[in-house]
Amino acid sequence: MRGIIGFGGYVPYRRLHRSAIAAVMGRGGGRGTRSVASYDEDTTTMGAEAARLALRSVDAEPRALWFATADPVYLEKTNATAVHAALRLDASVGALDFGGAVRSGIGALRTALQAVGPTMVVTADMRGGLPAGADEAAGGDGAAAFLIGTDDDGPVVAELLGSASATEEFVDRWRQPGSPGAGQWEERFGETRYGPLVDQAWAEALGAAGIGADDVDAAVVTGTHGRAVKRGAAQLGVQRVADDLAESVGNTGTAHPGLVLANELEQAEPGQVIAVVMLADGAEVLILHTTEALADYAPALPVADQIAAGAEVGYATFLQWREMIQVQPPNRPEPTRPSSSAAARAQDWKFGFVGSRGTESGTLHLPPARVSIRSEDHLDAMDPAPMADVGATVATFTVDRLAYSVSPPVVFAVVDFDGGGRLPVELTDVDPESVRIGQRVEMTFRRLYEAEGIINYFWKARPARARSRA
């Protein structure tokens, strides 16, 4: 039996109230909120966070990692390798990018469900458009990750019953590299093209699964063509269509089928049939059946909890983070290009946040050291100490309004890790006025800065989020 072993959805902390768009621009916006990636987040960091959540709930390691996004940080360079490094996967675990299309996310998931060996599928996207446009309001930022395998790799919580795909070349939505927004053909045209493709893929998937539409307990239906998605959901004939998170998160594009599926699985019970239907340049359908193992599965941080814990971001700040407007930066020099050779030498520390611990004294060193501060430890007598999932407490902090930052001020804190170890780190996802000594924090993989086209990734601390249901 092959299916989903572990899963996790990631929703950024910040929310933009759509009504704020019209308040500033005089038009656009709408009801509800959309998720907003912070200035120090991108599709790679969000994908890494989703993958970390997926792996926290299982005792298994992937033998391959596939990363899909329609908004890659790099072209030519593989983006999946940074996620691979943040997860501290072995060098033998291959890491590949899946295209630059919205459909690539569900395609990677379907391929993994039909492949061999445990595979981690990571999807992420940052959706937007020009100010006051429909895409800006309807879009959202987020990520999802799924560890796919068999019962030999770990308990399968949702097995694949059947799948199908229907493809046709037509121009519905498009975006050229570097463009701030996507184009869309007249809506009625796309609606007429998607309808027959959904019918075809749906019938084939149900036939492969050996069930009827009335056997499906819930259907996850997503896509970037709103009218076609609504029509497609209505024609399935299922008992219930899952909440697409449009009112609270928005449409996260490549990541959306996985994010909505993760949210649905977190609320599902064993023995249910869940269908996933994705409309993008055709139609993709997956039919899944939840197993008894789902009852014992504890999500690391449910999607619903992340949505509930979000904090507001102003529209002007949102535009700044999206580089739609420029503001005066602090009067300090911009950082220089990060060194590739230095990053390669310190990869475990920089990407995996691995310190060192004296073999005799047990003393933790952050960053890792060859020479211990304890005399009983000999030179290089150190064991690796992974710290990315270790909680910490703020010992002291400062708010720096002069240091360079894309979104000043910068909040620096000295944190004490559980079990020993102290380190100065930058805080993120915080309001400077709310930081306090004794506050609990956790580590998160983020961007420090970009210089000469190179992204400098490292770890920051954020306020600890409540963990999942027991």
Side-chain angles (χ1 to χ4, degrees):
M1 177 172 64
R2 188 169 180 84
I4 297 171
I5 298 174
F7 60 90
Y10 175 72
V11 180
Y13 178 63
R14 297 295 179 180
R15 306 285 181 275
L16 173 67
H17 286 274
R18 295 187 176 104
S19 59
I21 299 175
V24 174
M25 305 300 294
R27 60 190 178 93
R31 297 179 302 175
T33 61
R34 60 153 293 167
S35 58
V36 176
S38 181
Y39 70 94
D40 57 356
E41 294 186 285
D42 56 30
T43 52
T44 297
T45 65
M46 291 192 298
E49 288 299 300
R52 292 177 66 207
L53 291 173
L55 289 177
R56 281 180 193 168
S57 299
V58 298
D59 185 20
E61 183 171 304
R63 300 308 305 163
L65 187 150
W66 300 343
F67 179 54
T69 180
D71 188 29
V73 175
Y74 289 115
L75 297 176
E76 296 200 18
K77 183 188 183 310
T78 303
N79 296 278
T81 53
V83 179
H84 180 284
L87 299 179
R88 299 178 53 245
L89 299 180
D90 189 81
S92 62
V93 177
L96 300 172
D97 287 355
F98 264 59
V102 169
R103 192 177 181 179
S104 62
I106 190 70
L109 180 57
R110 183 183 177 214
T111 303
L113 284 164
Q114 298 173 329
V116 176
T119 302
M120 173 65 78
V121 177
V122 182
T123 61
D125 219 342
M126 293 175 61
R127 308 293 296 176
L130 292 173
D135 285 347
E136 177 190 59
D141 306 333
F146 295 86
L147 182 59
I148 308 299
T150 67
D151 284 320
D152 293 333
D153 306 310
V156 172
V157 298
E159 62 176 321
L160 178 67
L161 296 182
S163 64
S165 178
T167 301
E168 180 180 330
E169 163 57 21
F170 60 94
V171 178
D172 168 34
R173 294 181 64 88
W174 68 96
R175 178 168 58 87
Q176 294 185 331
S179 175
Q184 182 174 3
W185 203 258
E186 201 276 325
E187 280 194 316
R188 287 176 297 178
F189 168 76
E191 190 175 3
T192 61
R193 305 314 301 172
Y194 279 117
L197 295 170
V198 172
D199 286 338
Q200 176 184 335
W202 182 242
E204 290 182 7
L206 291 176
I211 61 173
D214 55 353
D215 295 316
V216 177
D217 295 286
V220 171
V221 187
T222 70
T224 54
H225 193 298
R227 284 174 51 170
V229 168
K230 185 176 294 186
R231 174 178 171 178
Q235 68 193 56
L236 298 180
V238 299
Q239 299 181 31
R240 181 175 64 87
V241 175
D243 178 10
D244 64 359
L245 307 179
E247 288 290 318
S248 56
V249 175
N251 191 312
T252 58
T254 313
H256 213 55
L259 184 61
V260 178
L261 175 59
N263 183 56
E264 190 67 23
L265 286 173
E266 288 165 355
Q267 304 172 56
E269 298 177 355
Q272 292 185 330
V273 176
I274 301 174
V276 182
V277 182
M278 172 66 170
L279 282 65
D281 302 316
E284 297 282 346
V285 179
L286 303 174
I287 308 291
L288 301 167
H289 176 259
T290 59
T291 71
E292 292 299 324
L294 183 63
D296 298 323
Y297 188 86
L301 187 60
V303 172
D305 291 0
Q306 297 179 61
I307 293 173
E312 183 179 358
V313 64
Y315 185 55
T317 300
F318 168 78
L319 292 177
Q320 178 195 347
W321 288 357
R322 284 296 201 266
E323 298 183 344
M324 292 292 181
I325 59 174
Q326 288 185 324
V327 299
Q328 179 66 37
N331 294 324
R332 290 292 185 272
E334 294 187 10
T336 58
R337 181 177 68 180
S339 167
S340 291
S341 55
R345 289 193 300 268
Q347 179 170 314
D348 282 350
W349 168 246
K350 179 177 174 56
F351 289 95
F353 202 61
V354 180
S356 62
R357 192 179 295 276
T359 54
E360 297 297 328
S361 69
T363 302
L364 181 67
H365 298 76
L366 299 173
R370 295 181 61 194
V371 179
S372 174
I373 61 174
R374 300 295 184 184
S375 59
E376 58 263 40
D377 293 317
H378 301 292
L379 177 65
D380 290 329
M382 296 284 181
D383 292 324
M387 299 296 293
D389 293 320
V390 178
T393 302
V394 174
T396 187
F397 69 94
T398 184
V399 179
D400 192 331
R401 303 183 186 278
L402 297 178
Y404 173 82
S405 173
V406 174
S407 185
V410 177
V411 182
F412 287 109
V414 174
V415 301
D416 290 332
F417 286 89
D418 299 345
R422 171 173 282 195
L423 186 72
V425 296
E426 183 178 341
L427 299 186
T428 189
D429 290 349
V430 296
D431 296 315
E433 295 79 10
S434 66
V435 182
R436 68 185 190 279
I437 294 174
Q439 185 172 9
R440 294 289 294 170
V441 295
E442 60 189 9
M443 303 308 293
T444 178
F445 188 63
R446 296 295 175 99
R447 299 164 64 118
L448 291 187
Y449 61 85
E450 176 182 349
E452 298 183 41
I454 298 178
I455 310 301
N456 189 15
Y457 291 112
F458 191 56
W459 294 78
K460 297 183 181 181
R462 68 180 176 207
R465 299 184 178 186
R467 282 297 185 257
S468 68
R469 67 189 182 191

